[in-house]
Amino acid sequence: MRTTDIQSELQRLFGAGDPAQGGTVVVWHDPDGEFVETVDTLELPGIEVVHEERNKLFALKCLLNDSLDGRRILLYRQRSRRLDGDWLADIEARAASFAADYASIQLRELGAADTADMREVLRAHKAYFAKKTNIKKIARLAESYETPAHLEVAVMAAAVSAEEATAQAVLRAYLIVAEAESGTEALDMLATVGAADSFKAAATAWTGFASDVTDTVAFAQHVLVSALAMQVPTDALGPLERCCSTEHAPFCHALVHEWAHGEQRDDLLALCGAVEDSLGLERALTDVEPSVLTQADIFPCIDAIILRRLFATLTAGADGVDEVLALAATRHSSTWYANLSFFYEGVTAAANMRRFFRDHESDPTDGNPAQVWRDYTRTWYCVDRWYRDLHGALARAITRGEYELDEDFRDCCAAMEDFYKNWYLRRLARRWTHACADDFARLGYANGIPRQVDFGMAEVEPMMRANKRAWVIVSDALRYEVATELAERLERETRGVCELDAAQAAFPSITKCGMTALLPASSFTMGEEHANGKATLAVYADGTEAATCAARQEVIRKHYPDGVAIRYDDFINNMDRAQRLARIGDAQVVYVYHDTIDAYGDKRATERKVFTGCREAIEELVACVQTIVRDFKAARIVITADHGFLYTAEALDESEHAAVSDIRGTVVEAGRRYVIARDGATSDPLVNIALPTADSGPAALTGFAPRECVRIRMSGGGENYVHGGISLQELCVPVLRFTNKRAGTRGYVESTPVGISLVSQLDVISNTLFNLEFLQDEPASGKMLPATYEIFVGDTARMPVSDTARIVADRTDSDATARVFRVSMSLKPGVQTSEHELYHLFARNADTGEVRSLRDLRIRVSFAPSIDFGW
């Protein structure tokens, strides 16, 4: 420091003194004696320079404690500022401190205490701290440095490019480099700044690992298995116990937990994979009871072990299904759930199917049409949805291939296929056909159930009268169970509310029938047409065929002159807002035609992706509703379908086929699930269906449908995805009424995340490890939205003193006991707590950032967790 700068800084310090104290004392600390010959040559007008002399301390103390009115004294001491054991500690405590040596300047720039131990750290890394850029780098890592250990950690952190000067950050950064490059290269980075030896000592002090830190796999094994020892009893680890230190397990667990929930999560995943392979971890833990592994989530292979057992349980039968569902729900909050979520979704779907079988095996096998319809639309449809969830999850899971779980998944799906086809579809179809066969033969429909042909009168007319404009979205093949998911999405993602009903589609349940039946028309009839020497079924609304969007618009305009029929792609994808407004104009009735599901299913090349089409359809329909509400301020929208569909994933057996030749008479048209013939035709194996034909006598028509999930053998096209028949999956079409609600209007309900409450009686934390139970206050349904909460114990400033637990509050059970979450938590190693200070158990909503206190706490632990840095 230049002489002029020293003089200027001293004048500033003396000028900043408090005149009320009667005088000013500044202590110049110069432990290396660099300025012993300079101090007396400085130009300091009005300032007395006093040297500390070994044999004159008493006299000096008397001088400085005497009246100093108007005096300004510079006390020069060849020592660092340290109050412990200092004869002049009282003077030091009230005096300003000054140092001009290079080390003092460095420590000042670092925000570090000026002590002999701190200076020792500077000397140990003299070459490193000689560069100003390195000083700035260390200063950015922490606001201040109170101990030499903390400064030493900062040097390590800078060497391995850690984001902060903490033990966890240093080890995390070191292991990332070691995994990506090599342990030798990682240690060389530390050796370059002279911190290799101190890092080795630190690694032992922090984690208990006393071997070669360049052996990346061994080091990672020790850290990760020690972390696992916090979640699994050591006696369950078996031979893995040799790889861990239970004494250092809290530190290792905190390190891994923080790492797993940070931006470098993928690096940890790679390290976990290397350790799993080196230890044969999945084999080592295979015999551990699932209950022991429930809360363990350090390694993703633990999820693989659990999933493999769950798949095996479900493949075998319905025993233990409640435990399967509970365990799968518990794992939703685990560290690696997202990486294996498709497998857990598959397990949950299969378990729900198994539970349904257990709970409904003794349901009645008879009943009238209305009873069977009610049972399907209230409960039995769920099996179709779970079946879709199962195969949708499988399609996404097999692209990942983690731990070869796709083979276990396929075995489970094969068992579920047998259940779905041979129990569920067969039993439901038999009950429905038995209830409706007479009505089908006599009327052509099941009596006492709302019909698709009444849609215009039942839905369009009332909507138009109440809202001046009727909006109808017709989604081709949107079957009832898909609409239940659509209704849930609309409830969650819009301000509106949904009411879901169902109507009976016209037979045959194909597009030209359903689309025509939904039009506002006075009559719905069928007839036989001939073209190019071929007979086909013709369907009429008010005597007009409506096979195209333009033709449907003409039918609508017979009743509503300004009515509009428009394709979804044109309305959403090919028009901007101004074009949409111009196209709709003053139309009283608007039909929007959407076709995603049928576009997948009706093509042989894509029929196996029909459940992907269902997922896409839901996304598109939500967006369509939002667009209509936004652009047109629509109050009500009805979403329906022309027909549903029947889909089974596996190829059909020969016995599951019928033939057109099973019809005795003249066949007009045939599909996989229906036959249209001239009146007078008969068939023993097929169900006879009356048709609303326009003509009588020789031109009259009759219909036939296969029983159960039988397909009619035909050339070309696929047969897994079919429609046209009389199964409830084909005939039961949704009528989803969406009502938009504005804030403040009657019936408006604000979407709100579900809350959580602490169930455990906890006022004092008396152990570094503790378990808590939480209740999800409400089921996640309707306007009560799923939420993810981060749970931690913190001080009044919300600074965490514990690790952070995650709770994914997405459970839909009405039974409160199924919405209880159990979490294990620990106090952070190295964080000092006081039994006199008040702490809080906080819950932070991970989506909104809102933090609330669930409980006030005291912390009284016999031995507060701490870290011995080894210096």
Side-chain angles (χ1 to χ4, degrees):
M1 194 171 185
R2 295 179 303 175
T3 300
T4 53
D5 292 335
I6 293 173
Q7 292 173 163
S8 176
E9 179 64 12
L10 286 171
Q11 291 285 8
R12 186 192 68 77
L13 287 172
F14 278 106
D18 185 0
Q21 291 186 350
T24 304
V25 176
V26 173
V27 181
W28 182 342
H29 299 99
D30 184 18
D32 296 326
E34 293 181 40
F35 299 92
V36 67
E37 295 179 359
T38 305
V39 64
D40 291 321
T41 65
L42 297 175
E43 295 181 11
L44 299 171
I47 297 174
E48 303 174 47
V49 178
V50 176
H51 291 257
E52 177 185 25
E53 297 180 54
R54 183 180 298 276
N55 299 321
K56 298 181 180 180
L57 290 177
F58 181 74
L60 179 61
K61 188 175 182 73
C62 291
L63 168 67
L64 296 175
N65 281 306
D66 201 357
S67 175
L68 298 176
D69 282 349
R71 297 175 68 180
R72 298 193 296 173
I73 297 175
L74 174 63
L75 172 61
Y76 176 79
R77 306 185 75 186
Q78 282 187 241
R79 61 174 291 171
S80 299
R81 186 175 187 272
R82 193 171 193 169
L83 300 184
D84 293 345
D86 187 359
W87 178 255
L88 300 179
D90 57 332
I91 310 300
E92 288 274 12
R94 68 174 186 266
S97 178
F98 172 75
D101 61 289
Y102 191 41
S104 297
I105 295 170
Q106 289 177 322
L107 291 171
R108 204 158 42 236
E109 291 177 351
L110 292 170
D114 190 348
T115 66
D117 290 338
M118 284 290 197
R119 288 172 175 270
E120 186 61 37
V121 176
L122 294 185
R123 276 192 290 272
H125 306 287
K126 187 174 182 179
Y128 180 78
F129 283 112
K131 294 183 179 180
K132 281 280 188 182
T133 53
N134 291 338
I135 295 285
K136 292 179 180 178
K137 188 185 295 185
I138 297 294
R140 285 195 296 268
L141 290 172
E143 293 183 2
S144 63
Y145 297 96
E146 299 297 327
T147 66
H150 194 193
L151 185 56
E152 185 76 24
V153 169
V155 175
M156 299 180 205
V160 294
S161 301
E163 67 276 13
E164 56 184 349
T166 65
Q168 287 91 341
V170 168
L171 279 175
R172 182 166 61 245
Y174 177 88
L175 287 169
I176 288 172
V177 174
E179 166 62 19
E181 306 295 339
S182 72
T184 300
E185 185 161 334
L187 192 63
D188 285 346
M189 295 170 69
L190 290 157
T192 301
V193 300
D197 290 339
S198 56
F199 175 77
K200 293 175 187 177
T204 302
W206 293 332
T207 70
F209 183 71
S211 299
D212 183 3
V213 294
T214 64
D215 187 342
T216 305
V217 173
F219 192 11
Q221 284 176 356
H222 179 90
V223 171
L224 293 173
V225 177
S226 294
L228 181 61
M230 283 285 289
Q231 302 176 331
V232 176
T234 52
D235 58 0
L237 294 176
L240 299 177
E241 190 175 353
R242 60 180 171 78
C243 300
C244 73
S245 167
T246 54
E247 178 186 350
H248 298 84
F251 174 86
C252 293
H253 182 268
L255 163 66
V256 176
H257 187 273
E258 183 180 304
W259 191 350
H261 294 93
E263 295 180 356
Q264 296 169 310
R265 169 188 174 91
D266 288 343
D267 297 301
L268 175 60
L269 181 61
L271 197 67
C272 286
V275 171
E276 288 174 358
D277 292 341
S278 66
L279 291 175
L281 195 60
E282 187 174 351
R283 292 192 304 275
L285 296 177
T286 295
D287 295 330
V288 178
E289 287 296 321
S291 59
V292 174
L293 295 176
T294 300
Q295 300 298 327
D297 64 349
I298 296 298
F299 293 97
C301 79
I302 293 173
D303 286 287
I305 293 167
I306 291 172
L307 283 164
R308 214 178 299 283
R309 290 178 181 173
L310 298 186
F311 279 130
T313 298
L314 295 170
T315 301
D319 290 344
V321 68
D322 293 326
E323 291 77 9
V324 169
L325 285 167
L327 182 51
T330 297
R331 299 302 294 180
H332 202 163
S333 298
S334 64
T335 295
W336 303 110
Y337 176 86
N339 297 66
L340 296 156
S341 60
F342 300 143
F343 295 99
Y344 277 111
E345 289 170 14
V347 159
T348 301
N352 279 319
M353 292 172 73
R354 286 294 197 197
R355 184 169 64 176
F356 184 91
F357 171 77
R358 183 197 67 191
D359 295 346
H360 293 271
E361 187 178 12
S362 59
D363 277 9
T365 56
D366 56 5
N368 60 46
Q371 289 173 326
V372 181
W373 184 269
R374 184 172 57 251
D375 287 346
Y376 180 73
T377 55
R378 289 183 180 178
T379 55
W380 280 63
Y381 79 87
C382 291
V383 179
D384 292 315
R385 180 165 170 179
W386 293 324
Y387 183 75
R388 175 168 61 87
D389 290 342
L390 179 72
H391 284 280
L394 176 64
R396 286 173 284 172
I398 59 178
T399 63
R400 307 291 290 271
E402 283 95 338
Y403 300 96
E404 299 180 357
L405 282 168
D406 52 313
E407 294 304 314
D408 301 85
F409 201 162
R410 289 179 191 276
D411 290 343
C412 182
C413 282
M416 293 304 103
E417 190 75 11
D418 179 68
F419 158 75
Y420 184 70
K421 280 175 53 177
N422 297 324
W423 184 82
Y424 171 73
L425 287 180
R426 181 168 294 173
R427 180 163 181 167
L428 182 63
R430 285 176 176 175
R431 187 182 179 209
W432 173 244
T433 303
H434 182 267
C436 305
D438 290 345
D439 284 352
F440 281 142
R442 182 170 51 90
L443 304 171
Y445 56 86
N447 198 22
I449 297 171
R451 298 175 62 204
Q452 191 179 51
V453 293
D454 297 325
F455 180 82
M457 180 179 62
E459 302 295 336
V460 178
E461 279 286 341
M463 185 166 35
M464 192 194 66
R465 288 196 299 268
N467 301 286
K468 309 304 182 186
R469 175 178 285 162
W471 285 94
V472 177
I473 302 173
V474 183
S475 183
D476 202 330
L478 180 75
R479 71 177 180 181
Y480 182 80
E481 59 88 5
V482 181
T484 64
E485 184 176 347
L486 172 61
E488 292 167 8
R489 285 283 302 275
L490 287 170
E491 288 267 1
R492 286 200 307 266
E493 298 177 23
T494 72
R495 293 183 173 182
V497 294
C498 293
E499 178 187 1
L500 181 60
D501 280 330
Q504 181 183 184
F507 177 85
S509 50
I510 56 177
T511 298
K512 62 183 174 183
C513 292
M515 292 296 184
T516 305
L518 289 167
L519 293 170
S522 301
S523 66
F524 173 79
T525 55
M526 298 180 184
E528 180 180 345
E529 278 200 349
H530 296 268
N532 301 320
K534 182 180 179 181
T536 57
L537 173 69
V539 184
Y540 307 102
D542 290 338
T544 302
E545 285 192 270
T548 66
C549 188
R552 292 168 199 152
Q553 180 168 280
E554 291 305 310
V555 172
I556 293 170
R557 287 184 171 178
K558 289 181 180 179
H559 295 264
Y560 307 104
D562 295 322
V564 169
I566 188 168
R567 293 172 60 252
Y568 167 87
D569 276 344
D570 292 334
F571 184 69
I572 295 297
N573 298 328
N574 300 332
M575 293 182 180
D576 59 23
R577 184 174 185 273
Q579 291 170 322
R580 280 193 286 268
L581 292 173
R583 176 71 176 86
I584 301 305
D586 296 325
Q588 292 175 296
V589 175
V590 181
Y591 275 60
V592 180
Y593 289 97
H594 173 263
D595 178 19
T596 294
I597 298 173
D598 216 41
Y600 272 93
D602 265 349
K603 299 182 181 67
R604 184 171 187 174
T606 58
E607 67 168 343
R608 288 189 175 277
K609 296 182 180 179
V610 67
F611 290 152
T612 300
C614 293
R615 190 169 66 249
E616 290 180 9
I618 291 171
E619 297 287 343
E620 292 168 355
L621 291 170
V622 170
C624 187
V625 168
Q626 291 172 329
T627 299
I628 293 171
V629 169
R630 183 187 67 240
D631 290 357
F632 298 92
K633 306 297 184 288
R636 290 195 69 190
I637 302 167
V638 174
I639 304 169
T640 189
D642 52 346
H643 57 76
F645 64 87
L646 188 64
Y647 177 83
T648 50
E650 298 300 322
L652 275 71
D653 296 332
E654 185 63 26
S655 62
E656 295 175 302
H657 290 85
V660 174
S661 59
D662 290 331
I663 305 294
R664 294 185 294 273
T666 303
V667 172
V668 174
E669 181 175 307
R672 298 277 185 189
R673 290 283 294 166
Y674 70 96
V675 175
I676 306 299
R678 289 179 182 164
D679 196 31
T682 61
S683 176
D684 294 329
L686 304 183
V687 179
N688 184 223
I689 316 290
L691 296 179
T693 49
D695 301 305
S696 58
L701 300 175
T702 190
F704 296 93
R707 299 175 187 274
E708 300 174 6
C709 61
V710 169
R711 273 73 154 169
I712 295 172
R713 189 180 294 104
M714 306 186 74
S715 60
E719 64 175 17
N720 293 82
Y721 169 91
V722 290
H723 55 87
I726 58 170
S727 73
L728 285 164
Q729 288 78 8
E730 298 163 283
L731 284 185
C732 183
V733 295
V735 179
L736 174 56
R737 304 179 193 94
F738 172 84
T739 303
N740 187 45
K741 297 287 186 180
R742 292 189 299 274
T745 60
R746 184 179 179 182
Y748 173 76
V749 178
E750 186 74 42
S751 295
T752 306
V754 296
I756 58 170
S757 305
L758 179 66
V759 176
S760 304
Q761 295 299 314
L762 181 70
D763 297 311
V764 177
I765 297 175
S766 56
N767 199 311
T768 57
L769 307 178
F770 51 99
N771 298 315
L772 299 175
E773 287 191 349
F774 297 85
L775 171 68
Q776 178 184 315
D777 297 332
E778 313 89 0
S781 63
K783 294 299 183 182
M784 300 306 301
L785 308 182
T788 299
Y789 288 98
E790 297 169 343
I791 310 297
F792 64 96
V793 177
D795 59 22
T796 53
R798 296 180 179 173
M799 291 299 295
V801 298
S802 75
D803 60 2
T804 301
R806 291 176 74 252
I807 292 178
V808 181
D810 62 350
R811 300 185 184 176
T812 58
D813 309 77
S814 57
D815 180 5
T817 59
R819 302 196 307 271
V820 173
F821 298 83
R822 295 169 180 83
V823 300
S824 297
M825 300 183 68
S826 63
L827 297 179
K828 278 189 171 184
V831 174
Q832 298 299 315
T833 59
S834 170
E835 63 179 53
H836 304 296
E837 187 175 343
L838 183 65
Y839 297 90
H840 307 273
L841 181 67
F842 290 108
R844 179 194 294 118
N845 186 308
D847 299 315
T848 66
E850 179 188 4
V851 181
R852 65 188 181 95
S853 174
L854 302 180
R855 183 72 58 86
D856 293 345
L857 299 169
R858 298 285 180 181
I859 299 177
R860 299 191 185 106
V861 290
S862 301
F863 299 97
S866 62
I867 299 173
D868 179 5
F869 292 93
W871 302 293

